[in-house]
Amino acid sequence: MGPISNPAWTVVTGSADETRAVGEALGRALLGDEIVLLIGQLGAGKTTLTQGLAVGLGIDGYTKSPSFVLMNEYRGRVPLYHLDLFRIETPEEVWDLGIEEYIGGLGVVAVEWADRVRAAFPEEAVEVEIEVTGEDRRRIAVMATGEPEIEAVARAQADWLDR
């Protein structure tokens, strides 16, 4: 999947802390029942952004990529279900994980490597593409489909600009 051609919000960050802060702004804007699809090469910062997302959702504790267990669940103001699909190859494998019980619920589902199996998820989602542009620099493009998702991205962008 190439860069998002018409993102609703684009940020260039110069450190992992700034990438985490973008995730935190997005997390504060989410109300629950959203899917955040994270796209980017290995080491781009998908987990770092998800750590910020967790903070924005009011979750205490370190968020790590669930690479070997496929999904971690965290409790906060809004629950976070963090999936890492690096080892998944088909949409059917995603459904075999039983994720349908998390989609459409009260929580936020954050999915690393979502581009590998995009067809497994609803059209209405927040897509976050992270592109490495330098050693510590990242271009983060955020696009949303669906009214609540578009509104959440607008709130996150306003939050980011007001910081």
Side-chain angles (χ1 to χ4, degrees):
M1 178 176 239
I4 296 171
S5 59
N6 189 18
W9 177 34
T10 303
V11 179
V12 175
T13 62
S15 69
D17 286 342
E18 284 184 354
T19 297
R20 209 172 281 110
V22 171
E24 189 173 344
L26 184 57
R28 282 192 297 270
L30 296 173
L31 304 175
D33 188 23
E34 293 105 349
I35 299 170
V36 179
L37 304 174
L38 299 149
I39 301 161
Q41 69 187 56
L42 190 64
K46 296 178 296 295
T47 301
T48 300
L49 191 131
T50 303
Q51 290 168 346
L53 191 68
V55 170
L57 292 171
I59 296 165
D60 293 326
Y62 178 73
T63 303
K64 60 183 179 181
S65 180
S67 295
F68 295 101
V69 294
L70 298 177
M71 186 177 83
N72 286 329
E73 181 178 336
Y74 300 92
R75 295 286 170 192
R77 169 183 60 82
V78 172
L80 172 64
Y81 307 102
H82 181 191
L83 284 77
D84 185 321
L85 302 182
F86 182 72
R87 290 172 172 73
I88 299 293
E89 296 180 12
T90 67
E92 292 76 25
E93 288 179 86
V94 174
W95 290 107
D96 288 345
L97 296 173
I99 64 161
E100 65 275 1
E101 59 189 87
Y102 302 100
I103 294 176
L106 299 175
V108 170
V109 178
V111 185
E112 293 190 36
W113 300 101
D115 51 321
R116 296 171 62 93
V117 288
R118 178 61 178 98
F121 299 99
E123 181 74 24
E124 295 78 22
V126 175
E127 291 192 23
V128 179
E129 184 170 323
I130 306 172
E131 179 184 2
V132 177
T133 59
E135 187 174 332
D136 294 319
R137 293 178 57 85
R138 303 293 186 265
R139 178 183 175 272
I140 302 171
V142 184
M143 192 169 102
T145 305
E147 192 75 28
E149 292 81 2
I150 291 168
E151 290 173 4
V153 170
R155 285 191 303 273
Q157 183 178 21
D159 182 14
W160 177 260
L161 294 173
D162 287 344
R163 64 185 175 95

